[in-house]
Amino acid sequence: LSVILGLGTTWLIFFFRGFKYSPFFCSDGIRTSIHDFAVTLSVVVWTLVKELIFPHVETEGLKVPDEFEPTFACCDSSCKTFFPDDCEDQAEAAGTRSWLVDFGDLNGKGWAPIAAAGPAILAFALCYLDNGITWHLICHKSHNLKHGEAYNYDLCLNGFFNFVNGALGLPWLVATTVPCIIHLNALAEKDRDGNFLEVQETRLTLFFSHLMVGLSILVLNVLKLLPLPVLYGVFLFMGLSSLPNIQFWQRFLMFFQQPSKYNKTVYVEHMEKKRVHLYTVLQICFFALVFLVQNIKAVAIIFPLMTLLCIPARLFFLPRFFEGWELLLLDGEDERIEEWMEAKEQSVRMYEESKNLTNMEASSDDDDDSN
């Protein structure tokens, strides 16, 4: 049942989103509304399917506390031990920790702040890279965004709120790449080929969406009704919907496509196919290595370092296999690619002009000899 709920949620979201360019219903407004609220409609439908058709089948639900309070339960009033792991014989918790973390209470481990400095640097590198990657993906020139850039301001705010979250013992804030892309797509007007025409740039959508997340604490009993597989289906949709715009995924599909049917991109038109495939294989190796480190508990703490090492790998390792112009076509900025294309066209024109001039001179010499 969990598989049906998850895959059904994903399928129904794509089905509803397909109404935008369909001939069904009587107006564009209705079709657009169904497209925009596809996720909400799908979650409601499959939650009702679980509750009304399969009420006696147990599925994992969303874990929501009964009250709005810290979830760290204490074994005693000192709150230095965790219930129930550290006091299995105890029937119930003595209480929960205070809202603010006591930075001076090191639990007798004075070396802890020094030892935490190393992992803190790795965590900072991960946050920095995550923010930077997300920012560059969102602000890509093909999205036709008009407002100015505020990357450094955003990074400062992120650091400030991470400090606040740390003081409250809450998880850190990081840039959620896939939801940001989904949000961008929701505000974008596209043509039938998926190209961005314009984006409605506003802060109101983010403000109200996060306001509603905060207000969700008032309906905790309703949130408990959400089956976890349904939420997994939403996450699966978020991942699948962002794949077509990722160049790596497009190049990966080229392994299974007829060469004459490849998308007409600059690297397909100017590079040998085996060179493009080699670049994709190396990327798969990098991804597999990062994924392996992330999922092995003994070395998972160096996961941010592995992500950071992708930068020197691109700068110093890949140039051993590819020419500079090849790397430019594969992952360069649009402006530099356009400059390269113009330089190439100019070089071809100069070569053809030089060749024509040489042929004309040779023809003139032949005429002189015949005379």
Side-chain angles (χ1 to χ4, degrees), residues 32 35 48 81 113 138 146 148 150 169 186-187 202 211 214 233 242 250 275:
T32 301
H35 171 274
L48 291 176
T81 51
I138 297 300
K146 305 300 182 184
L187 298 177
T202 175
L211 178 63
S242 63
Q250 296 172 358
R275 302 288 289 171

Side-chain angles (χ1 to χ4, degrees), residues 253-263:
L253 293 179
M254 289 171 58
F255 285 114
F256 314 100
Q257 294 175 345
Q258 181 180 335
S260 60
K261 301 295 184 181
Y262 288 166
N263 292 331

Side-chain angles (χ1 to χ4, degrees), residues 199-214:
V199 177
Q200 179 64 44
E201 300 178 53
T202 175
R203 297 184 178 93
L204 292 177
T205 52
L206 288 174
F207 173 77
F208 283 111
S209 62
H210 286 84
L211 178 63
M212 294 180 67
V213 170

Side-chain angles (χ1 to χ4, degrees), residues 10-23:
T10 304
W11 167 80
L12 194 58
I13 294 174
F14 281 111
F15 177 75
F16 284 147
R17 288 176 66 86
F19 275 99
K20 186 169 185 177
Y21 297 110
S22 73

Side-chain angles (χ1 to χ4, degrees), residues 211-231:
L211 178 63
M212 294 180 67
V213 170
L215 293 177
S216 65
I217 63 175
L218 303 177
V219 289
L220 295 180
N221 291 331
V222 177
L223 294 180
K224 292 180 181 179
L225 299 177
L226 293 177
L228 203 57
V230 171
L231 298 182

Side-chain angles (χ1 to χ4, degrees), residues 159-285:
F160 171 76
F161 284 111
N162 277 342
F163 173 79
V164 174
N165 281 17
L168 295 174
L170 299 175
W172 286 354
L173 292 172
V174 294
T176 49
T177 306
V178 173
C180 288
I181 295 176
I182 297 295
H183 178 254
L184 175 72
N185 289 328
L187 298 177
E189 287 293 334
K190 303 180 182 179
D191 58 21
R192 289 184 175 272
D193 297 327
N195 299 316
F196 281 72
L197 300 177
E198 63 175 350
V199 177
Q200 179 64 44
E201 300 178 53
T202 175
R203 297 184 178 93
L204 292 177
T205 52
L206 288 174
F207 173 77
F208 283 111
S209 62
H210 286 84
L211 178 63
M212 294 180 67
V213 170
L215 293 177
S216 65
I217 63 175
L218 303 177
V219 289
L220 295 180
N221 291 331
V222 177
L223 294 180
K224 292 180 181 179
L225 299 177
L226 293 177
L228 203 57
V230 171
L231 298 182
Y232 288 152
V234 175
F235 297 149
L236 178 61
F237 156 74
M238 294 170 67
L240 293 177
S241 63
S242 63
L243 282 179
N245 296 324
I246 299 177
Q247 187 199 104
F248 169 72
W249 177 250
Q250 296 172 358
R251 286 187 279 101
F252 176 76
L253 293 179
M254 289 171 58
F255 285 114
F256 314 100
Q257 294 175 345
Q258 181 180 335
S260 60
K261 301 295 184 181
Y262 288 166
N263 292 331
K264 300 301 181 182
T265 58
V266 289
Y267 52 84
V268 169
E269 293 179 354
H270 298 282
M271 290 179 60
E272 296 181 15
K273 306 302 181 289
K274 62 180 181 180
R275 302 288 289 171
V276 178
H277 291 326
L278 174 62
Y279 185 82
T280 306
V281 169
L282 290 176
Q283 275 193 311
I284 293 174
C285 293

